[in-house]
Amino acid sequence: MSNTEPAGQPSQLTVVSTTTADGIHVLTVSGEIDQTSGSRLQQAMAVPAGPRPRIVIDMSGVTFMDSTGINILILAHRALDDAGGSLRLAAPGESVTRVMHIVGLDTIIDCYPTLEQALNT
């Protein structure tokens, strides 16, 4: 497990990266995803090496996401799809879900109510 950003104020973005036994790269994200913090998430979402790279993002701790986060997720989805892999989002909160629904992101990237469901699908 590696933490790409030290814990801090709730508005700061924290990204913790782990890998499951099945080779799924899991990012646990908390705080705000915006123009000032987006690069942390983008760096953590580099496409993992190997066949069929898979990333699941646990978004249960994300309190805010603007267009920066939307763009990062779309670019990551495309890169993973091009590599034969997948991106799944787990447990986005109400405000993040609302933003994703407004822009249609929830129709492009698979979203699941829990991390367990995102990992087992």
Side-chain angles (χ1 to χ4, degrees), residues 89-92 111-115 117-118:
L89 306 178
C111 298
Y112 297 88
T114 68
L115 178 59
Q117 288 174 323

Side-chain angles (χ1 to χ4, degrees), residues 60-113:
S60 60
V62 176
T63 57
F64 173 82
M65 182 172 68
D66 68 8
S67 61
T68 302
I70 299 293
N71 289 327
I72 290 168
L73 293 175
I74 290 170
L75 291 172
H77 168 72
R78 288 180 182 163
L80 287 161
D81 191 55
D82 289 348
S86 64
L87 173 63
R88 297 179 186 151
L89 306 178
E94 185 178 327
S95 64
V96 173
T97 299
R98 186 172 43 251
V99 169
M100 292 188 324
H101 181 70
I102 289 170
V103 299
L105 186 64
D106 57 342
T107 63
I108 298 169
I109 300 174
D110 293 331
C111 298
Y112 297 88

